[in-house]
Amino acid sequence: MKIIAIEEHVLPDEVKQAWNTIPGADDGTLGLNPGVIGERLADLGEQRLALMDATGVDVQVLSLTTPGLNNLGHHGIDLARRTNDLLAEAVAGNPSRFQAMAALPSAEAEAAALELQRSIEDLGCKGAVLFGRVGDKNLDDPIFEPTFACAAELDVPLLIHPQIPQASVRDAYYAGFGAPIDLALSTFALGWHFEAGVQFVRLILGGVFDRYPKLQVILGHWGELVLFYLERLVMLDRVSKLQRPLIDYVRTNLYLTASGMFSPAYLQQAIDTVGVDRILFSTDYPYQYRPGNNARHFIDGLELTDTTKSKLAHRNWEHLIGGP
């Protein structure tokens, strides 16, 4: 059975250099990419293909790792073009193994939409990745409106990838245990997931899906905590005055993916909540990489029909993007 992993990361040297040299570009997460992680992020050739084979993944959908180009201001415009050209080159070199999600210069509203259009129409990207806030501007801010309008017009999905919370939030909730623990707590342990989940909820409350009812977004890590608090979140219907019940946006505008959290229990919760047709597969390479055919063993070991497994493994993604 073909396995397509849709949240698999890259970090080109040029982007890493920009994070290191442009003031304010590194939000603290560059420290999460040392040693072998950094080497795997930079590689788009034989090593990556070999590790895909080792875990059982047939196709990686490549995307820039967090925080993307969000902190680069106008510097992100040309860098987005070069990054997306690089991704397209990797796909062209191995079209049966790679696809790509576009990187966007989100700090520049019109430029981000234009780059999304170019990446889809000229380069063949399958969608784009967003990283939540630009500075203090959340995803429901007007700065993102051209991107949402363009994605809806082109009928392509947007992956909301976690970003580290802003400094004031980190200082208030995630600090005090020493630098390594503070960074871990504010990112992969907890902070990332609250941050991304809140950004999705803000899209709903900000009326983005009312303005673009066919817009599709993807949340990793089984819904970035949103999935497990829907019983409380739906109470927003008492005050929100949205066009539809909140649960309807979850079930019609949201796709979920695993991000390497190979949990049958979380998968079942996702199926119960959004239905089997809205769940995608991902390994969160290289952060959650495990050898030993781990991805394939997870799919094969599920107590589901072969038809359902094929939906999770590749068919839902292919349907979302309109073909293989």
Side-chain angles (χ1 to χ4, degrees), residues 251-319:
R251 290 175 175 164
T252 61
N253 298 100
L254 177 64
Y255 280 78
L256 306 176
T257 191
S259 304
M261 299 170 65
F262 296 158
S263 166
Y266 288 180
L267 170 60
Q268 189 59 54
Q269 176 85 6
I271 292 173
D272 292 343
T273 303
V274 301
V276 73
D277 294 331
R278 287 190 161 266
I279 303 171
L280 310 170
F281 186 79
S282 62
T283 75
D284 202 10
Y285 177 92
Y287 301 107
Q288 293 281 82
Y289 172 74
R290 307 179 190 93
N293 230 21
N294 189 265
R296 189 163 299 280
H297 285 325
F298 174 67
I299 294 290
D300 288 345
L302 294 171
E303 295 183 358
L304 301 169
T305 67
D306 287 344
T307 297
T308 297
K309 290 180 183 180
S310 70
K311 288 184 176 184
L312 305 178
H314 66 96
R315 286 173 55 197
N316 287 344
W317 173 251
E318 291 170 343
H319 174 77

Side-chain angles (χ1 to χ4, degrees), residues 26 63 81 120 182 200-201 205 212 215 289 307:
D26 177 24
S63 62
R81 290 183 65 90
I120 302 301
D182 291 355
F200 172 71
V201 173
L205 296 176
Y212 308 105
L215 179 66
Y289 172 74
T307 297

Side-chain angles (χ1 to χ4, degrees), residues 217-236:
V217 302
I218 304 166
L219 283 178
H221 307 96
W222 299 116
E224 307 292 8
L225 302 176
V226 170
L227 185 70
F228 303 99
Y229 274 82
L230 280 174
E231 184 175 346
R232 305 294 288 186
L233 283 167
V234 296
M235 294 181 182
L236 286 166

Side-chain angles (χ1 to χ4, degrees), residues 74-126:
H74 69 276
H75 298 287
I77 298 175
D78 288 339
L79 191 51
R81 290 183 65 90
R82 293 194 293 274
T83 299
N84 292 327
D85 288 345
L86 178 67
L87 294 178
E89 182 180 342
V91 173
N94 283 286
S96 66
R97 304 302 304 273
F98 293 143
Q99 299 174 13
M101 299 282 273
L104 302 180
S106 292
E108 302 289 334
E110 297 300 330
L114 289 172
E115 182 58 21
L116 174 58
Q117 183 174 8
R118 185 187 80 94
S119 298
I120 302 301
E121 295 182 346
D122 297 347
L123 302 181
C125 290
K126 304 303 183 183

Side-chain angles (χ1 to χ4, degrees), residues 49-60:
L49 292 168
L51 294 177
M52 289 166 60
D53 292 340
T55 199
V57 169
D58 297 294
V59 181
Q60 279 193 353

